[in-house]
């Protein structure tokens, strides 16, 4: 992926192209499936913007990992995962306030109504923790999100 931000007028002409390396896998334990994934990134932005996005650039270096599982329960599937990300803002090097640690957790359930239709519900939480306090900003900003729906495949 080319960093097109370096092509804009007045932009940092030395901006590096982002690099991302991902490794993951899963293991089936007869009814429970475990997942593990890790990622290293350089000069990249977070896929989900920081809660206080204006406080960071799109040139972050860091790593993250997630651990998840699905299990059969009450005729459907329970799904969950926890994750951690540690990112350092390279555009503002030396400013600890712009370094982010992200913690996340998700729990959901899907129930089949037919061969191609299912109902689902879930809740997710994540928190961005900044390395230093920034005036007028929460250094431990968090969000809680819920979803309920019906899906049908064709």
């Amino acid at each position: 992926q080319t960093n097109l931000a370096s092509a804009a007028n007045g932009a940092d002409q030395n901006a590096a192209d982002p690099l991302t390396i991902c490794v993951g896998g899963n293991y089936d334990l007869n009814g429970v499936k475990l997942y593990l994934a890790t990622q290293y990134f350089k000069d990249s932005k977070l896929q989900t913007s920081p809660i206080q996005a204006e406080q960071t650039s799109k040139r972050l270096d860091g790593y993250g990992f997630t651990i998840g599982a699905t299990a059969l329960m009450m005729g459907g599937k329970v799904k969950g995962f926890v994750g951690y990300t540690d990112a350092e803002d390279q555009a503002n090097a030396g400013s600890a306030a712009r370094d982010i640690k992200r913690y996340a957790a998700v729990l959901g359930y899907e129930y089949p109504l037919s061969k191609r239709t299912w109902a689902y519900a879930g809740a997710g939480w994540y928190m961005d923790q900044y390395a230093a306090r920034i005036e007028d900003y929460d250094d431990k900003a968090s969000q809680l999100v819920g979803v309920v729906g019906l899906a049908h495949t064709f």
Side-chain angles (χ1 to χ4, degrees), residues 12 21 28 37 42 45 54 59 65-66 81 83 90-91 96 101 104 107 111 121 123 129-130 132 137 143-144 147 149:
D12 177 6
I21 299 170
D28 195 343
K42 183 167 179 55
K45 67 177 188 170
E54 67 277 2
R59 289 184 52 206
F65 67 86
T66 60
F81 93 86
Q90 295 306 301
K101 289 184 183 352
L107 185 62
Y111 185 81
Q129 181 178 5
Y130 299 89
Y137 287 93
Q143 289 187 346
L144 180 62
V147 64

Side-chain angles (χ1 to χ4, degrees), residues 68-100:
T70 60
L72 300 174
M73 182 181 287
M74 298 185 301
K77 280 186 187 175
V78 173
K79 301 178 175 194
F81 93 86
V82 294
Y84 173 78
T85 301
D86 191 345
E88 184 176 312
D89 191 337
Q90 295 306 301
N92 300 294
S95 174
R98 301 189 192 265
D99 295 346
I100 300 172

Side-chain angles (χ1 to χ4, degrees), residues 41 46 50 52 55-57 59-62 84-103 127-134 138-141:
F41 51 91
L46 295 177
Q52 298 173 37
Q55 292 301 311
T56 61
S57 74
R59 289 184 52 206
L60 299 167
D61 290 358
Y84 173 78
T85 301
D86 191 345
E88 184 176 312
D89 191 337
Q90 295 306 301
N92 300 294
S95 174
R98 301 189 192 265
D99 295 346
I100 300 172
K101 289 184 183 352
R102 174 172 286 169
Y103 306 90
M127 179 180 73
D128 288 343
Q129 181 178 5
Y130 299 89
R133 181 85 171 123
I134 303 170
D138 185 357
D139 62 341
K140 289 185 179 178

Side-chain angles (χ1 to χ4, degrees), residues 2-22:
T2 302
N3 189 345
L4 297 177
S6 63
N9 287 338
D12 177 6
Q13 298 300 314
N14 297 318
D17 289 341
L19 168 71
T20 304
I21 299 170
C22 304

